[in-house]
RNA sequence: GCGAGGGUGGCGGAGAUGGCAGACGCGCUGGACUUAGGAUCCAGUGGGGAAACCCAUGAGGGUUCAAAUCCCUCCCCUCGCACCA
């Protein structure tokens, strides 16, 4: 017997699989397709356990589906643009491109060493001009469709590094690199109108199976609220102040208005208010505070009375206008009507500044209207103190007041979303150049499609300081205007890398395509992705942007489907000592070390066995050893099978039953939410039984061998290398990849005797062996003759007997 | 505060439709084979008890012949969202 030596054996099979083009995907209308996709890795130095988990899960699904007759697309690529490449450039003095491609080499080798069944010839590398030219192409199409625009927008700015920072690079209001306080700086930036698609993005009906929490997170992110805009006339500035509210029914309870410190009216009010100086000071204090978002939540509500008045649209009362720090400029109109009686925030503010509180909705639980409220009443009720609307149910009142306002031209129905347009500008080098040209004569124009790609220049100085490094590359900037042909300048912003990942899965589906982003037929065949697998950290941005992209592409007529990912599985993190593996925690386990020691199959098996895919997985070296032992056991048993000589055949039927039961269990566990951990447990159970029976030599060689072959087949998707080795060692010459997943149809329980639980008054007292055909009274007879149970029943009246077939019998007796 | 998901041995985790709680693995205990074993094999392993038995699924109630599973009250943990008008 050879010793199980995974390292040689795994490399051998990986080579043979590759030479035989096993995993090459070909599109074919005869076969039902299955597109299995894992989120592609970012090209940092090497892969970590999180990747191993993600890709192993995908590989099991892919191999399992192939064996079940599907035509599989299982591709991989690299998310290759992004800031870390520039940081590496600064730190290690290496060009971002060289750094990235070097990493890709490493990662590719690591993925191959794991034995994942990828179709390598469809690899996508997003920093390849042949890929990102299509980002530019889409940008131009979006521009034509009026889906991109440029506007001033605040960006995080580090005054020391002289650079723009991404949100995640701002830590507690400070620059992650130098620790300087981060300021906001207004810059002209490019936006994509994702808000145009807010309604369609809220519709998840085209999605089959996504985790509920991901859908909820996206819904919250889009944050739709339906309400009413109301216009309050301000005589002093001869203009309307618009507020947004979802509670128009409380309009008669308005006792003041509040503006955000950033509201454009603040300037006007400052000019005419008698409290100009105080207001100025207040605004300065509120807008200068470089607090992080979390701190802002903790700070107390503060405000200042402008001493300016607005006119109530119905009562014509004079309503004081305040400026308050609790009103967000980014939401609604940046101004609210305050109804302290029915909104807790307004209530707190009113209490603090001693503003009037007017009750206009009667809580049904109130016997009479209270003199004073302890807190705002935000629930439903009957309207009071509301003139002609008195007595209405508040929900009805909301509608009535809105209609009335519309009639007198003082308001209108309005829908607001939290979702903001997608800022895709990055003042960075390592990204897709935005294909825009600035011409003195023609203005802002898009580059001609035939001039794409606009390639990133290799020669560039990356310092991490100042604006986009491209600003200093003259060769890049200088160009001809695509409209008039005169000298012009290029845009130097590059695109957010989420653009790259919004459609990469379409490119996979289009093999060897050169003259367009993808082939429509092939994409329509493979798409949508049948199973997408990745981390929960992409629950919102990547998945939302991809959904958006696909909808736009559909509207452009480029594709025929509405949703990119039908089924989504978010796998849990790999944790050690209770926390996520990370460099800073110093608890990282390198997959390469584990593979060297135990081989890829052991690593795969452990990662699948230790927990169900969607929950966090606690790393355990001992657990790895357990899996290593299991595979060694399989290995040894294999040689026992080969040398086996039967003594008797009494267990033939039994073994057939057990292998069929195992196949059924494993199949169902995979089909049902990918419960690989229990599937593996069932295979371990099989091995426990199998090794017992092989020691007894109580089955015929034929049945033994037959069961063993079936077992190797179901083992294959989990640990493909060892399975393939054993398979071939049995004299089989077809690859397991091309074998059919075994069926379990024709099996029934051979053993007619089973054991059922015996309960007296619901309490378990033991078990009896019965024949499956027994009727209740036969079982009852058996029990009343049994020494163990006799004493409970003798002399007692049996009130009732409940028999759950083949499981349990409960005898209810009088006490 | 709101929303979602959880709390089961020493540990990771199993437990369709309510029906023998703790599959499988780890760890631990004992034994076999061994010069030795951290290799392998066999047996045991929720707690209490000598035993008969009794007690156990976050806590407490309830429904039921029967509850980890269903209902109510509460506690704790994790993850989202968070002054969104």
């Amino acid at each position: 017997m050879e010793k199980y030596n995974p390292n040689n054996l795994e490399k051998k099979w990986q080579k043979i699989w590759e030479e035989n083009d096993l995993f090459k995907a070909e599109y074919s209308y005869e076969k039902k397709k299955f597109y299995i996709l894992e989120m592609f890795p970012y090209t940092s130095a090497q892969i970590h356990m999180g990747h191993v988990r993600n890709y192993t899960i995908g590989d099991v699904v892919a191999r399992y589906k192939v064996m079940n007759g599907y035509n599989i697309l299982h591709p991989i690529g690299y998310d290759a643009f992004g800031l870390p490449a520039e940081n590496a450039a600064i730190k290690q003095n290496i060009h971002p491109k060289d750094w990235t491609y070097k990493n890709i080499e490493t990662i590719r080798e690591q993925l191959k060493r794991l034995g994942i069944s990828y179709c390598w010839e469809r690899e996508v590398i997003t920093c390849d001009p042949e890929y990102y030219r299509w980002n530019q192409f889409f940008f131009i199409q979006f521009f034509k469709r009026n889906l991109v625009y440029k506007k001033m927008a605040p960006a995080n700015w580090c005054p020391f590094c002289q650079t723009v920072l991404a949100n995640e690079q701002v830590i507690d209001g400070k620059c992650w690199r130098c620790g300087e306080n981060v300021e906001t700086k207004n810059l002209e930036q490019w936006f994509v109108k994702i808000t145009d698609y807010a309604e369609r993005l809220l519709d998840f009906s085209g999605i089959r199976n996504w985790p509920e929490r991901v859908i909820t997170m996206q819904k919250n992110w889009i944050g739709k609220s339906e309400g009413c805009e109301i216009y309050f006339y301000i005589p002093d500035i001869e203009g309307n102040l618009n507020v947004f509210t979802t509670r128009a029914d409380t309009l008669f309870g308005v006792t003041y208005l509040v503006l955000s410190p950033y509201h454009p009216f603040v300037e006007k009010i400052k000019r005419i208010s008698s409290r100009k100086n105080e207001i100025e000071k207040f605004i300065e204090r509120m807008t200068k505070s470089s607090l992080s978002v979390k701190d802002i939540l903790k700070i107390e509500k503060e405000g200042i009375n402008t001493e300016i008045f607005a006119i109530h649209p119905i009562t014509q009362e004079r309503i004081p206008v305040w400026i308050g720090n609790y009103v967000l400029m980014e939401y609604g109109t940046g101004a609210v009507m305050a109804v302290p009686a029915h909104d807790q925030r307004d209530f707190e503010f009113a209490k603090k500044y001693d503003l009037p509180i007017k009750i206009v909705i009667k809580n049904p639980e109130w016997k009479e209207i209270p003199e004073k409220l302890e807190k705002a009443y935000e629930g439903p009720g009957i309207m009071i103190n509301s003139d002609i609307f008195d007595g209405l149910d508040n929900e009805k009142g909301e509608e009535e007041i809105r209609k009335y306002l519309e009639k007198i031209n003082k308001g209108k129905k309005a829908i607001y979303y939290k979702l903001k347009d997608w800022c895709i500008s990055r003042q960075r080098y390592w990204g897709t150049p935005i294909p825009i040209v600035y011409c003195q004569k023609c203005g802002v124009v898009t580059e001609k499609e035939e001039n794409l790609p606009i390639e990133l220049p290799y020669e560039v100085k990356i310092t991490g300081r100042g604006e986009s490094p491209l600003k200093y590359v003259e060769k890049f900037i200088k160009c001809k205007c695509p409209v008039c042909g005169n000298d012009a300048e290029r845009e130097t912003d590059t695109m957010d890398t989420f653009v790259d990942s919004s459609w990469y899965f379409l490119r996979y589906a289009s093999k060897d395509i050169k003259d367009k982003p993808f082939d429509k037929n092939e994409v329509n065949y493979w798409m949508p992705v049948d199973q997408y697998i990745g981390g929960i950290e992409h629950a919102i941005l990547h998945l939302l942007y991809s959904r958006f992209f696909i909808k736009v592409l559909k509207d452009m007529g480029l594709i025929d489907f509405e949703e990119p990912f039908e089924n989504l599985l978010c796998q849990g993190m790999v944790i050690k000592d209770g926390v996520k593996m990370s460099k800073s925690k110093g608890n990282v386990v390198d997959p390469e070390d584990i593979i060297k020691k135990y081989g890829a199959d052991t690593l795969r098996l452990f990662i699948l066995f230790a927990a169900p895919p969607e929950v966090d997985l606690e790393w355990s070296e001992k657990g790895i050893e357990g899996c290593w032992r299991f595979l060694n056991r399989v290995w040894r048993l294999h040689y026992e099978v080969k040398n086996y000589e039967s003594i008797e055949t009494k267990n033939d039927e039994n073994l057939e039953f057990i292998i069929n039961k195992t196949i059924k269990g494993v199949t169902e566990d995979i089909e049902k939410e990918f419960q690989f951990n229990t599937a593996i447990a069932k295979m371990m159970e099989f091995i426990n039984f199998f090794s017992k029976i092989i020691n007894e030599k109580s089955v015929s060689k034929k049945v033994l061998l037959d069961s063993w072959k079936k077992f190797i087949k179901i083992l294959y998707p989990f640990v493909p290398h060892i399975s393939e080795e054993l398979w071939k060692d049995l004299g089989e010459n077809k690859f397991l990849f091309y074998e059919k997943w075994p069926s379990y149809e024709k099996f029934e329980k051979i053993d007619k005797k089973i054991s059922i639980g015996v309960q007296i008054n619901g309490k378990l007292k033991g078990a009896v062996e019965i024949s499956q055909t027994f009727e209740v009274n036969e079982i009852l007879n058996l029990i009343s003759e049994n020494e163990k149970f006799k004493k409970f029943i003798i002399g007692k009246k049996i009130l009732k007997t409940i028999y759950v077939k083949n499981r349990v019998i409960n005898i209810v007796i009088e006490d």
Side-chain angles (χ1 to χ4, degrees), chain A residues 36-42 47-62 74 76 111 114 116 118 504 531-538 568-574 607-608 613 617 676:
Chain A
I36 165 87
L37 179 68
E38 298 117 45
M39 291 179 183
F40 63 173
Y42 176 70
I47 62 167
H48 52 71
M49 283 301 175
H51 293 117
V52 173
R53 192 172 191 198
N54 191 171
Y55 302 148
T56 302
I57 293 169
D59 195 45
V60 178
V61 176
H74 188 204
I76 192 71
L111 293 175
L114 270 171
I116 314 288
Y118 290 129
Y504 73 108
Q531 184 63 56
Y532 199 22
I533 307 171
I536 186 76
E537 65 273 19
H538 294 112
L568 174 69
L569 173 70
C570 290
Q571 97 269 9
M573 293 184 298
V574 180
I607 233 156
L608 294 165
L617 183 152
F676 303 132

Side-chain angles (χ1 to χ4, degrees), chain A residues 14 119 135 421 425 580 619 681 690:
Chain A
Q14 282 157 11
C119 176
N135 286 342
D421 277 337
S425 278
K580 187 181 175 172
W619 181 261
F690 191 79

